[in-house]
């Protein structure tokens, strides 16, 4: 990637901006995916279904589905509700970890 940047970006400022935005978006999506996987893991350990979580949080099942897909931005309010319902912290300071899965473009 750095070789690509060195060759292409000095020639095209718009491409540089687009690439920087894509890198930032990818990091954001990875963090959301890590959070969603953590929530699913807690739910599984507690034997909780999406419908049960939805009912306890007073949300629709489709809203929970979006949240658990890793594509929905979480507000501090939603995170707080999740932690209260699940009885565990949902996020801690995020640290990069190796992924055991691949992300594919939507």
């Amino acid at each position: 990637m750095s070789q690509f940047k060195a060759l292409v970006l000095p020639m095209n400022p718009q491409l540089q901006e687009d690439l920087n935005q894509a890198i930032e978006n990818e990091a954001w999506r990875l963090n959301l995916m890590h959070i969603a996987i953590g929530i699913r893991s807690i739910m599984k350990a507690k034997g909780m279904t999406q419908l049960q979580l939805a009912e306890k949080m007073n949300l629709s099942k489709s809203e929970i589905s979006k949240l658990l897909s890793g594509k929905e931005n979480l507000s501090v309010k939603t995170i707080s509700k999740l932690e209260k319902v699940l009885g565990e912290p949902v996020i801690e300071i995020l640290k990069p970890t190796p992924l055991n899965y691949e992300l594919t473009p939507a």
Side-chain angles (χ1 to χ4, degrees), residues 26 30 33 37 99-105:
E26 187 64 21
L30 283 173
M33 186 61 68
I37 289 168
L99 300 176
N100 295 329
Y101 53 86
E102 288 185 34
L103 293 179
T104 55

Side-chain angles (χ1 to χ4, degrees), residues 20-103:
N20 287 337
Q21 185 66 40
I23 290 167
E24 182 179 315
N25 286 342
E26 187 64 21
W28 180 79
R29 284 195 311 239
L30 283 173
N31 286 337
L32 283 176
M33 186 61 68
H34 281 286
I35 293 166
I37 289 168
I39 294 167
R40 285 180 175 273
S41 177
I42 294 168
M43 289 173 61
K44 184 176 181 178
K46 295 182 178 286
M48 185 181 289
T49 66
Q50 287 187 32
L51 183 57
Q52 290 169 327
L53 182 61
E55 289 170 351
K56 289 182 180 191
M57 291 188 65
N58 199 28
L59 296 173
S60 70
K61 189 175 179 216
S62 67
E63 288 173 300
I64 294 297
S65 180
K66 287 179 190 176
L67 183 146
L68 296 176
S69 72
K71 296 177 183 173
E72 186 75 13
N73 194 9
L74 301 173
S75 68
V76 173
K77 182 178 180 179
T78 300
I79 292 167
S80 296
K81 282 174 124 179
L82 279 165
E83 290 180 336
K84 183 177 180 180
V85 168
L86 296 173
E88 294 189 37
V90 170
I91 59 173
E92 297 175 337
I93 299 299
L94 296 174
K95 300 176 206 162
T97 57
L99 300 176
N100 295 329
Y101 53 86
E102 288 185 34
L103 293 179

